């Protein structure tokens, strides 16, 4: 008679891994997670501060007023949009000042999609689009796009 053994149902081998746990969570939530190609971002010859800013944004580590308010340092309000919390998404996209800039860059037909995404979908959509351009142009001597021109 065999002894009982514990197996992980999230992987066909029965072995637990972080990857298999993540796959189970993704399947259960019925969402598609698009991984960011970080190695391409770090290889991009642009300024390090841009790359680090994107990394902080993706990890929700920007020093916004909302973040400072959790430490008791100040109110969470955006200095331009009174009564609205300054989150990472608000500071980068939804603030009246940011919206003025984005509306000059993106096509009006893309406004609905661009402004309706959550923070992580918005970052990944724009960043992966930019990185795919970088990858496609990597060996062809084509000028690399500036990060300030990210759009849909």
């Amino acid at each position: 008679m065999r002894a009982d053994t514990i197996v992980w149902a999230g992987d066909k081998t029965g072995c637990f891994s972080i990857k298999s746990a993540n796959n189970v969570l993704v399947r259960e939530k019925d969402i598609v997670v698009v991984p960011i190609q970080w190695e391409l971002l770090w290889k991009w010859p642009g300024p390090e501060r841009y790359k680090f800013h994107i990394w902080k944004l993706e990890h929700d580590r920007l020093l916004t007023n909302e973040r400072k308010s959790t430490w008791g340092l100040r109110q969470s309000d955006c200095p331009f949009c009174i009564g609205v919390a300054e989150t990472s998404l608000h500071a980068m996209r939804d603030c009246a000042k940011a919206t003025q800039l984005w509306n000059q860059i993106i096509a009006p037909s893309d406004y609905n999609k661009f402004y309706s995404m959550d923070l992580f979908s918005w970052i990944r959509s724009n960043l992966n689009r930019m990185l795919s351009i970088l990858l496609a142009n990597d060996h062809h001597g084509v000028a690399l796009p500036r990060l300030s021109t990210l759009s849909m």
Side-chain angles (χ1 to χ4, degrees), residues 11-147:
D11 186 72
K12 62 185 174 186
T13 66
C15 297
F16 175 83
S17 69
I18 297 298
K19 182 178 180 180
S20 66
N22 186 52
N23 288 338
V24 168
L25 291 173
V26 169
R27 278 195 309 263
E28 287 179 3
K29 291 183 179 181
D30 196 28
I31 60 171
V32 176
V33 175
V34 179
I36 291 179
Q37 301 170 12
W38 289 112
E39 65 280 356
L40 292 178
L41 177 66
W42 298 127
K43 289 178 184 177
W44 178 62
E48 289 296 319
R49 63 187 177 149
Y50 289 4
K51 294 185 262 188
F52 187 59
H53 184 79
I54 291 170
W55 184 91
K56 287 191 300 186
L57 185 60
E58 166 65 18
H59 291 85
D60 201 17
R61 295 292 184 252
L62 291 183
L63 191 56
T64 61
N65 285 343
E66 182 183 60
R67 189 171 193 80
K68 291 177 191 175
S69 75
T70 64
W71 301 330
L73 298 177
R74 64 174 302 146
Q75 296 294 322
S76 66
D77 288 353
C78 171
F80 304 108
C81 308
I82 306 304
V84 178
E86 185 190 50
T87 62
S88 294
L89 183 61
H90 180 80
M92 294 301 300
R93 186 192 71 188
D94 297 338
C95 175
K97 295 288 186 180
T99 301
Q100 288 175 358
L101 173 70
W102 287 119
N103 287 347
Q104 292 176 15
I105 297 171
I106 62 173
S109 60
D110 291 331
Y111 287 175
N112 189 41
K113 182 178 179 184
F114 185 83
Y115 289 112
S116 64
M117 289 187 243
D118 63 81
L119 175 66
F120 300 109
S121 299
W122 182 74
I123 295 165
R124 289 167 186 228
S125 173
N126 285 294
L127 186 57
N128 282 330
R129 181 178 180 279
M130 184 207 62
L131 291 174
S132 67
I133 292 169
L134 290 175
L135 184 61
N137 295 329
D138 192 33
H139 302 292
H140 303 291
V142 177
L144 299 174
R146 294 186 354 240
L147 286 177

